[in-house]
Amino acid sequence: MSKKINEDLLNERKKCTFDMQELTHVIDCGEQNTMKRKFIDDYILNIKELWDDVPEEYLSHKERYENAIRKAFIILRCLREFNSSSMQVSEHRTPTNIYSIQDGIFRNVNPLLIHVGLFWSAIAAQASADQQAEWLKADSKMIGTYAQTELGHGSHLRGIETTATFDPETDEFVLNTPKLTSYKWWPGGLGKTANSCLVMAQLCINGTCHGLHIFLVQIRDYDTHEPLPGIKVGEIGPKMGFNTADNGFLGFDNCRIPRSNMLMKNVQVLRDGTYVKPKHNKLAYGSMVLTRVMLITDLANQLSRAATIAVRYSAVRHQSQIKSDEPECQILDYVSQQHKLFICLASSHAFRVVGLWMWNTHRMVTADIHQGNMEQLPELHSLACCLKAVCSRDATSLVEQCRLACGGHGYLLSSNLPQIYNYTAAAITYEGEYTVLMLQTARYLMKSWKNALEHEPLPANVAFLGAYIKRNYEQWQSSPEGIINGFKDIAAGKIKTSYDTLQRHLRNGLDPEEAWNLSSIQLTDASEVYTRSLLCELFWRDTKQTCNTVSINLAVVLEQLGELYLVYWALEKHGDLLLYSTISRNDIELLQSRYGELLALIRPNAVGLVDAFDIRDEVLSSTLGAYDGRVYERMMEEASKSPLNAEVVNESFRKYIRPVLLKNKM
């Protein structure tokens, strides 16, 4: 069968007005990163053992795990060859898509994700220098995971029930899960893979609870992999997604570990049981903040995969007619299809930009913390909370939009859109559930509003609150800058409303937590629109800066994408703009007109824009989105792999169907 490229895609690529490779280098943060990614792709693609003859969807739950863990350790050896060993992961690694080839190898998730991505970085961030020297050795036998969430407690960390009680006679901590709800639940790799675990537990000394601390616990024998005494561990079973990861449960029954196994970079327990407090009580949450920061970039990469699949499919798929006297048109020519997909393109770039900005912010604040300056830590925490929450929810919604844009074929697992959706949907919950994170940001916003009322200095990201209080309204302008100012007006207005509601409940005699609960809908809403203003401002600012460094042709397209993102969200939030800004009905109609113009301007470059993501077919893992556009051929090729097609007549006919037919005939 010929594998020539689909004519529609060839024609689309001829329309492209910019240098796709130039945009690829922008996305990869430089040509060197692009070259490194391609080198790694080529190296790994040549390892035949990593590629399956049978799609994993046809494997059992047990077979999926065993196949994934086999491939995971091949990948781990490769990472070590590229000087990216899990033993060398630092808390300052840069977000990257260099290792995106793994998305194609696993289709679901690498079962060593927590081992490589969180276990070692948490030790690097929270362990003392002596502990790091001992635990981060290149020949370490530890395969790790991170256990915080319990069967009965997730987001409410103070409610965690696992205890670590200091025994001064033996210089040990004794770990216990006192009841069923205390069992650790969900850690990736815990079920069957990990032999070591970073455990979040309540520290108890001489009858006094000192709150949550992290402990390194060996849970399985390094040689036999049998659970150690006092350990009950297993896997939690099938999930909506992530089924190549053995998420597990963990219980402790008087499990003893040395005192030196408490991570002691910021806090210590001395030999006599003396508790040395941390300089700041939020220092222990550094690993979680870092993970939230890294997630934003990961979500950008997943959304770019979904957008690539849906845009290419829409260029190949012909359905119905726009004009009755013409042939069936590409569905990408329908404005409604452009409306579904082009915001996905723009959002992927927005998340990439914001993820990198958030990473740089994290690095600067972390450097300040190491110098003893904690001033910016509350802002960093609030930013990580709200950006992770909104980006994960947006990405999931937009991936689903891509699936729906592919019609019934998008429902096939071979499209890979359901798997990408399951991946992003999980991110709404893990490392902080959406509403909980938005309410944490709301606490920061309430303090900021109070400071603004008292004319206290404000951090740059909330400085607009001071201008709002002074009633420095700007006349509406239908420009990117005008839209950004409009979102700041909405954010300030909703923050004020939330604060006033909270104060009214307090004046009526409610205690603070009751007042907070009754105000939670407004508080969540205020946090969401504040985050939206951040995304718009940061994306547009970076777009303008990037346009000064690239060719004119690429700059034009990037500006169109940036403006489309802003106009799209202005129209989505036009009701709020009418309430809180000086926008008029006529202004909204102008925005609607401009939105249509932007869709038309971006249309000729749609395929070029997804091609610039430079995602290999092996990473896309999609019958609908391959570079050659052979959609229908690939769908049939994939269907032929179904075990049900291995025999002309399935045995069920003789067992169940034929007896009924014969009985009816009689």
Side-chain angles (χ1 to χ4, degrees), residues 326-557:
E326 293 184 354
E328 286 189 304
C329 64
Q330 297 163 278
I331 62 174
L332 193 54
D333 286 334
Y334 289 103
V335 174
S336 57
Q337 189 79 344
Q338 296 165 21
H339 173 60
K340 293 175 187 175
L341 297 181
F342 292 176
I343 185 58
C344 302
L345 279 171
S347 296
S348 176
H349 284 280
F351 297 169
R352 170 182 58 80
V353 164
V354 172
L356 190 57
W357 174 85
M358 193 64 213
W359 168 257
N360 290 327
T361 301
H362 178 270
R363 288 196 66 176
M364 289 187 291
V365 174
T366 301
D368 286 346
I369 290 171
H370 289 163
Q371 297 299 318
N373 180 7
M374 308 291 172
E375 186 176 333
Q376 295 183 72
L377 186 57
E379 183 181 29
L380 174 68
H381 180 253
S382 74
L383 290 169
C385 285
C386 67
L387 287 170
K388 181 269 183 185
V390 171
C391 289
S392 61
R393 178 165 279 196
D394 279 4
T396 303
S397 174
L398 293 171
V399 168
E400 174 69 350
Q401 200 158 285
C402 288
R403 187 188 70 79
L404 294 172
C406 294
H409 294 338
Y411 195 68
L412 285 168
L413 290 182
S414 69
S415 76
N416 203 28
L417 290 167
Q419 291 93 321
I420 297 173
Y421 175 85
N422 288 340
Y423 189 103
T424 58
I428 299 175
T429 305
Y430 69 74
E431 301 302 332
E433 187 273 337
Y434 176 87
T435 303
V436 172
L437 293 187
M438 297 306 273
L439 289 172
Q440 288 186 24
T441 296
R443 290 193 186 276
Y444 173 78
L445 294 176
M446 293 302 97
K447 291 176 183 176
S448 297
W449 181 259
K450 184 174 183 293
N451 289 340
L453 289 174
E454 296 170 356
H455 306 292
E456 295 288 334
L458 296 171
N461 292 314
V462 289
F464 64 90
L465 296 178
Y468 186 89
I469 287 173
K470 295 174 183 176
R471 297 295 189 268
N472 289 341
Y473 295 113
E474 291 189 24
Q475 194 62 31
W476 174 263
Q477 293 180 332
S478 293
S479 64
E481 291 77 14
I483 292 171
I484 291 166
N485 288 330
F487 271 105
K488 289 181 178 180
D489 286 341
I490 300 173
K494 292 198 172 190
I495 291 168
K496 177 185 183 300
T497 299
S498 300
Y499 184 87
D500 290 346
T501 301
L502 201 57
Q503 294 303 309
R504 185 177 71 252
H505 289 315
L506 291 172
R507 287 194 300 270
N508 289 339
L510 295 180
D511 65 48
E513 289 308 314
E514 284 182 299
W516 187 263
N517 181 43
L518 290 175
S519 309
S520 59
I521 295 175
Q522 294 99 314
L523 289 163
T524 302
D525 198 25
S527 290
E528 189 272 337
V529 77
Y530 164 69
T531 313
R532 195 69 60 196
S533 72
L534 278 173
L535 285 164
C536 288
E537 183 172 28
L538 293 170
F539 184 32
W540 184 247
R541 182 198 304 164
D542 184 88
T543 298
K544 298 297 287 184
Q545 291 171 350
T546 302
C547 286
N548 291 329
T549 64
V550 298
S551 65
I552 293 175
N553 287 349
L554 179 55
V556 169
V557 177

